[in-house]
C-alpha cells in the first residue's frame, strides 16, 4: 500500500546509513561542473587563454552558472581537476597554485566563487605525483588537507595515481581523517575502488565510511562507446555497488559529457536518464560559455534532476537487457518508480517498447499513474495492468518514465521485486 516502496527503501538504507561518512554532506548526489573531460591538462595560457586551466576559466564558469540558470537548477560545485598547481611546493611544504595561471591564488578564487553563491572544488592525489605529474600528497596529506581548509575549499577530488594499490585504501582513509581534523566540512570525492578493482574486490563498507562518492571505473570520454562501457560495467557489478549507495555516499560513474562533440542528442538523453537512475553525482564537463540550447535544456531538465536527487536516495538497477532494449528501474520516494528504457540497437528507426514488459510494471495491479519524462514531458495518466501501450525509443536513445502504483502491493512484494 501507500508506503510500501518507502518502507522497503528505508530498511535498505538503514543498513548503510549508519556507515556513511559522517560529515553531513552529499545527502543527495553532488551537482556541479568539473573541468577534466572538456579542458583536460591544458596549461597553455599563452596561446590558448580561453581554454587553459586558469582562475579565469573557473571565474567565467561561475559567472555563467549564475547567469544561465545552472545554479538555479541545482549545479553548485565549480570544480578544479588536475594540473592547477605549481610543480613545486612552497617553503613550508604546502601546495601552491601555478602563479601564472592562478595569479590571485586559490583562496581568492574560492572567495569569488562563494560570492556567487557557489562552492569550489579542488583536486589532489594520494601518490607521489598526480596523474598529470604534479606534486602528490604522499607524506603531505595533513598539510594538504589544512591548506585546502585554509583556502576555504568545499570539495576535494582525491585521485589514486602513482602509489602501490595495496596502500590506496590507507591513503584514502588518511585523507578522510585529515579533512575531518581540519574541522571544515569538505565533500570528499574518491577513486578508491577504481584503483583496487584490477587486483581485488574493494571493501565498499569501508569506502562508504570514508568517502562521499567514489569512482568505480574508467574515465568517461566524449563518446558513446565510453558511456556504454560505463553502463555495462555498472550493470555487471550492480549487486556489489548499488547497495553501497545512499545519502552521504554515492557511486560515481564520472562526468556528464552532454553538450560536447561526441554524443548525438539521443545519446545525450541516454546519459542524462541513466545518471539519474544511477543516483550519480552530476558533474558536467563541457563549455557552459558555449553550449547548444537542446543540451542545456536537457542538463537543466527539472524532472530528470528530481529523479537524480530523489530523497529516498536509492540507486537503480538494470532489470533486463535483451537484444533490442535495456531496462533500468529505480525506486523513488512517495511510492513511485522511475523506469528508463534504452534502445540498444544502433540501426533502424524508433523501436516500440511494450511498457508492461518492465519488471516494475507488475506493481501496477490494478493500475498505475504514468508520466513520461523523456523524450518530452507528458502525463500519460492512469494506465491499467493489462495495457498494450507501446512506446517508441530511438536508436541509442532512452525514454524515461515515472510510475506510481495505484494498487495494493505489500511491502513483501516490493522486497521480492527489488531482491537480487
Ligand atoms: C568528524 O567526524 C566526526 C565523527 O565521525 C563527526 O561527528 C564530525 O561531524 C566530523 N567533522 C567534520 C568537519 O567532518
Ligand atoms: C597514512 O598516515 C600514516 C600516519 O601519518 C603514515 O605513516 C602512512 O604512511 C600514511 N599512508 C599513506 C598511504 O599515505
Amino acid at each position: 500500500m501507500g508506503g510500501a516502496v518507502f518502507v522497503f527503501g528505508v530498511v535498505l538504507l538503514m543498513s548503510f546509513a549508519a556507515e556513511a561518512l559522517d560529515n553531513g554532506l552529499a545527502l543527495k548526489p553532488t551537482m556541479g561542473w568539473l573541468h577534466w573531460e572538456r579542458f583536460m591538462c591544458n596549461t597553455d595560457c599563452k596561446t590558448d587563454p580561453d581554454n587553459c586551466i586558469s582562475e579565469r576559466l573557473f571565474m567565467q564558469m561561475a559567472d555563467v552558472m549564475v547567469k544561465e540558470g545552472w545554479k538555479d537548477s541545482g549545479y553548485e560545485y565549480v570544480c578544479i581537476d588536475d594540473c592547477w598547481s605549481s610543480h613545486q611546493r612552497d617553503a613550508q611544504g604546502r601546495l601552491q597554485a601555478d602563479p601564472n595561471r592562478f595569479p590571485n591564488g586559490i583562496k581568492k578564487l574560492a572567495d569569488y566563487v562563494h560570492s556567487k553563491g557557489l562552492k569550489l572544488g579542488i583536486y589532489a592525489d594520494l601518490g607521489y605525483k598526480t596523474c598529470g605529474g604534479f606534486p602528490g600528497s604522499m607524506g603531505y596529506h595533513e598539510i594538504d588537507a589544512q591548506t585546502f581548509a585554509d583556502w576555504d575549499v568545499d570539495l576535494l577530488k582525491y585521485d589514486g595515481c602513482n602509489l602501490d594499490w595495496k596502500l590506496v585504501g590507507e591513503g584514502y582513509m588518511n585523507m578522510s581523517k585529515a579533512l575531518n581534523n581540519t574541522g571544515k566540512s569538505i565533500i570528499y570525492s574518491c577513486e578508491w575502488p577504481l584503483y583496487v578493482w584490477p587486483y581485488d574486490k574493494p571493501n565498499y563498507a569501508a569506502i562508504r565510511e570514508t568517502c562521499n562518492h567514489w569512482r568505480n571505473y574508467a574515465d568517461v570520454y566524449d563518446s558513446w562507446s565510453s558511456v556504454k562501457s560505463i553502463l555495462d560495467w555498472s550493470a555487471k557489478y550492480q549487486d556489489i555497488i548499488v547497495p553501497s549507495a545512499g545519502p552521504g555516499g554515492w557511486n560515481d560513474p564520472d562526468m556528464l559529457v552532454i553538450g560536447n562533440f561526441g554524443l548525438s542528442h539521443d545519446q545525450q538523453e541516454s546519459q542524462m536518464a541513466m545518471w539519474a537512475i544511477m543516483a550519480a553525482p552530476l558533474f558536467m564537463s563541457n563549455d557552459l560559455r558555449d553550449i547548444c540550447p537542446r543540451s542545456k535544456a536537457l542538463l537543466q531538465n527539472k524532472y530528470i534532476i528530481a529523479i537524480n536527487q530523489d530523497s529516498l536516495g536509492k540507486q537503480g538497477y538494470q532489470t533486463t537487457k535483451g537484444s533490442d532494449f535495456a531496462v533500468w528501474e529505480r525506486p523513488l520516494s512517495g511510492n513511485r518508480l522511475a523506469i528508463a528504457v534504452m534502445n540498444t540497437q544502433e540501426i533502424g528507426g524508433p523501436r516500440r517498447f511494450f511498457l508492461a514488459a518492465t519488471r516494475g510494471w507488475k506493481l501496477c495491479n490494478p493500475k498505475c499513474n504514468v508520466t513520461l519524462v523523456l523524450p518530452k514531458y507528458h502525463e500519460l495518466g492512469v494506465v491499467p495492468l493489462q495495457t498494450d501501450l507501446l512506446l517508441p525509443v530511438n536508436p541509442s536513445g532512452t525514454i524515461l518514465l515515472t510510475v506510481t502504483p495505484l494498487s495494493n502491493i505489500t511491502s513483501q512484494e516490493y522486497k521480492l521485486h527489488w531482491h537480487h
Side-chain angles (χ1 to χ4, degrees):
M1 282 215 292
V5 168
F6 185 72
V7 168
F8 180 55
V10 167
V11 169
L12 255 193
L13 290 177
M14 295 240 303
S15 56
F16 289 95
E19 297 151 23
L21 172 60
D22 183 19
N23 63 0
L25 299 173
L27 299 179
K28 295 179 174 180
T30 309
M31 294 175 66
W33 183 90
L34 176 61
H35 95 238
W36 187 257
E37 193 287 320
R38 178 64 187 251
F39 295 95
M40 303 190 73
C41 195
N42 182 348
T43 56
D44 184 3
C45 291
K46 280 219 179 62
T47 66
D48 197 9
D50 288 339
N51 299 301
C52 68
I53 306 312
S54 69
E55 61 185 30
R56 193 165 153 249
L57 180 71
F58 298 97
M59 290 165 76
Q60 289 181 346
M61 284 315 153
D63 292 346
V64 178
M65 281 171 75
V66 174
K67 273 204 214 102
E68 302 282 330
W70 300 101
K71 182 187 162 205
D72 288 342
S73 299
Y75 296 95
E76 189 180 10
Y77 288 79
V78 184
C79 299
I80 306 170
D81 208 289
D82 202 353
C83 306
W84 61 271
S85 82
S86 162
H87 278 286
Q88 264 79 46
R89 289 177 177 270
D90 73 6
Q92 283 80 46
R94 291 174 303 194
L95 289 171
Q96 49 188 349
D98 181 282
N100 297 314
R101 295 181 288 118
F102 294 84
N104 296 294
I106 303 295
K107 173 72 172 80
K108 280 274 160 49
L109 180 57
D111 291 346
Y112 183 82
V113 168
H114 293 154
S115 77
K116 300 272 157 182
L118 297 167
K119 298 191 184 303
L120 185 72
I122 204 160
Y123 169 100
D125 185 292
L126 51 67
Y128 294 94
K129 279 187 184 316
T130 71
C131 303
F134 291 82
S137 297
M138 183 65 195
Y140 292 91
H141 62 270
E142 281 163 350
I143 295 176
D144 292 351
Q146 193 55 53
T147 302
F148 299 145
D150 292 344
W151 288 344
D152 221 0
V153 161
D154 305 288
L155 178 151
L156 172 64
K157 173 176 173 177
Y158 204 41
D159 214 333
C161 277
N162 300 312
L163 190 69
D164 184 333
W165 74 274
K166 291 193 187 96
L167 294 174
V168 158
E170 184 184 298
Y172 277 106
M173 290 191 277
N174 274 357
M175 181 54 96
S176 190
K177 194 154 175 284
L179 290 172
N180 182 280
N181 286 342
T182 68
K184 180 176 160 59
S185 294
I186 296 173
I187 290 192
Y188 186 35
S189 174
C190 299
E191 308 203 19
W192 179 349
L194 164 64
Y195 286 95
V196 170
W197 267 116
Y199 310 98
D200 200 1
K201 185 180 158 187
N203 179 349
Y204 278 93
I207 291 166
R208 183 168 168 78
E209 279 173 26
T210 305
C211 306
N212 290 119
H213 19 90
W214 45 86
R215 286 275 310 286
N216 290 304
Y217 182 68
D219 286 6
V220 70
Y221 277 58
D222 188 14
S223 75
W224 181 231
S225 62
S226 167
V227 171
K228 272 193 303 186
S229 73
I230 291 170
L231 292 172
D232 287 345
W233 189 92
S234 302
K236 185 172 177 196
Y237 293 99
Q238 61 186 357
D239 290 345
I240 296 169
I241 65 169
V242 171
S244 70
W250 310 97
N251 289 295
D252 179 2
D254 210 7
M255 295 159 271
L256 295 167
V257 293
I258 295 164
N260 291 321
F261 311 97
L263 303 185
S264 71
H265 193 76
D266 284 295
Q267 293 162 354
Q268 295 179 44
E269 291 187 347
S270 287
Q271 193 189 24
M272 193 70 187
M274 291 305 176
W275 264 234
I277 290 283
M278 292 191 292
L282 300 180
F283 287 108
M284 306 178 284
S285 194
N286 49 18
D287 191 345
L288 298 175
R289 301 166 301 186
D290 178 19
I291 184 168
C292 98
R294 274 186 98 190
S295 297
K296 180 180 171 189
L298 175 62
L299 286 161
Q300 295 190 358
N301 183 311
K302 64 181 177 186
Y303 304 108
I304 309 176
I305 290 172
I307 292 171
N308 174 269
Q309 299 280 297
D310 183 75
S311 59
L312 188 58
K314 178 88 182 76
Q315 181 174 342
Y317 287 92
Q318 185 182 83
T319 50
T320 54
K321 186 166 187 184
S323 57
D324 292 344
F325 298 104
V327 182
W328 296 64
E329 302 181 43
R330 175 177 175 187
L332 300 176
S333 60
N335 206 12
R336 293 166 310 134
L337 184 69
I339 301 176
V341 181
M342 182 190 292
N343 177 349
T344 53
Q345 287 285 346
E346 294 170 26
I347 188 168
R351 279 186 152 68
R352 289 170 312 149
F353 179 79
F354 180 44
L355 179 61
T358 59
R359 199 164 153 167
W361 193 255
K362 285 199 262 326
L363 305 172
C364 296
N365 191 3
K367 57 200 175 188
C368 269
N369 214 333
V370 180
T371 301
L372 197 58
V373 171
L374 275 175
K376 201 173 178 324
Y377 185 85
H378 178 49
E379 289 175 11
L380 297 175
V382 173
V383 182
L385 180 68
Q386 308 296 345
T387 179
D388 49 15
L389 194 60
L390 293 167
L391 295 166
V393 193
N394 291 347
S396 66
T398 297
I399 59 167
L400 181 62
L401 315 100
T402 59
V403 164
T404 310
L406 305 169
S407 62
N408 293 324
I409 300 291
T410 65
S411 63
Q412 187 59 26
E413 283 168 301
Y414 264 105
K415 233 179 240 190
L416 288 174
H417 174 71
W418 290 108
H419 188 72
H420 276 253

